[in-house]
Amino acid sequence: MTAQPGASAPVPDRAASGAAKLVVASLIGALVALTLGIYGHLHHPTGIAINIAGFSSPGSVKSWLATGATAFALVQVGSALVMYGKVPRITAPSWIGGLHRWSGRIAFLLAVPVAVHCLYALGFQGYSTRVLIHSLLGCAFFGAFTVKMLILPQRQLPGWMLPAFGALVFTALTGVWLSSAYWFFSTFGIKR
Ligand code: HEM
């Protein structure tokens, strides 16, 4: 069928297209989380230990890196609250967007090598509730992060969606930290 001259082109329904993009992003995020979990479960843990001079064990290196990632993630949350005008008496300075982006990039870069070691050397484990929660949240963190990155450029989505996924990513990372680095430091002491 050909369009009649002068007839207006069909206007795509913004809400429906936004919802479709959210569904696609969520499916990809779920696929990422599942792939990591399945890989960690099927791959035989190598137990490989990479140590860094100055640190007492690989566990301590990982715990400090995870703590760094969580600290930068806290900066992300703080800068997001300022950007959204949620902090009374503070007007967002011009550099707040840069701080938000860079703290997020650094947090992610610190988390990746830790997770690679977890997956490759230790695998997806469930020999205690803590370890099972840690393994599940570790995979969920990367899934939620993927969704957040995919919906970032989507302007059709409701404004609350990006902060909601940001909060989800932060919650997953905090859970990962509590079930690993916090446990490590409270069991073996805070040491390098
Ligand atoms: C990707 C999915 C992940 C899986 C399957 C996974 C799995 C594991 C397992 C099985 C352990 C040993 C737990 C124990 O016996 O105490 C562990 C430890 C640890 N994980 Fe993960 N993890 C993942 C992601 C992450 C992420 C994203 C971080 C931090 C950013 C992290 C940080 C740590 C730390 C600090 C330890 C304690 C040090 C150690 O025992 O090596 N993990 N992980």
Side-chain angles (χ1 to χ4, degrees):
M1 205 165 86
T2 50
Q4 296 300 311
S8 57
V11 179
D13 180 348
R14 275 168 69 88
S17 122
K21 284 183 173 145
L22 178 64
V23 169
V24 172
S26 303
L27 285 175
I28 296 174
L31 199 67
V32 167
L34 269 175
T35 306
L36 293 178
I38 292 170
Y39 167 79
H41 184 67
L42 295 180
H43 157 82
H44 187 73
T46 59
I48 185 172
I50 300 162
N51 214 348
I52 294 186
F55 286 90
S56 53
S57 68
S60 125
V61 177
K62 287 173 69 180
S63 297
W64 282 110
L65 285 173
T67 303
T70 311
F72 277 101
L74 267 171
V75 176
Q76 270 243 304
V77 174
S79 53
L81 288 173
V82 172
M83 283 195 298
Y84 279 82
K86 299 291 178 199
V87 183
R89 287 189 293 279
I90 295 191
T91 341
S94 57
W95 44 262
I96 199 79
L99 177 67
H100 185 76
R101 279 189 298 278
W102 276 101
S103 53
R105 285 169 190 162
I106 296 172
F108 186 73
L109 286 178
L110 291 174
V112 166
V114 184
V116 167
H117 184 271
C118 285
L119 276 170
Y120 187 67
L122 310 172
F124 188 107
Q125 303 293 342
Y127 45 80
S128 74
T129 310
R130 173 186 63 81
V131 172
L132 178 63
I133 290 174
H134 174 76
S135 300
L136 285 170
L137 286 178
C139 299
F141 164 71
F142 286 102
F145 178 83
T146 305
V147 181
K148 190 192 167 197
M149 289 301 108
L150 288 175
I151 64 170
L152 202 54
Q154 307 301 338
R155 298 283 161 234
Q156 299 98 325
L157 294 171
W160 55 266
M161 208 154 266
L162 193 57
F165 272 96
L168 200 64
V169 175
F170 177 72
T171 306
L173 183 61
T174 305
V176 164
W177 181 81
L178 285 171
S179 57
S180 59
Y182 173 78
W183 169 84
F184 185 91
F185 289 136
S186 48
T187 307
F188 302 109
I190 301 178
K191 55 180 180 186
R192 276 194 293 134

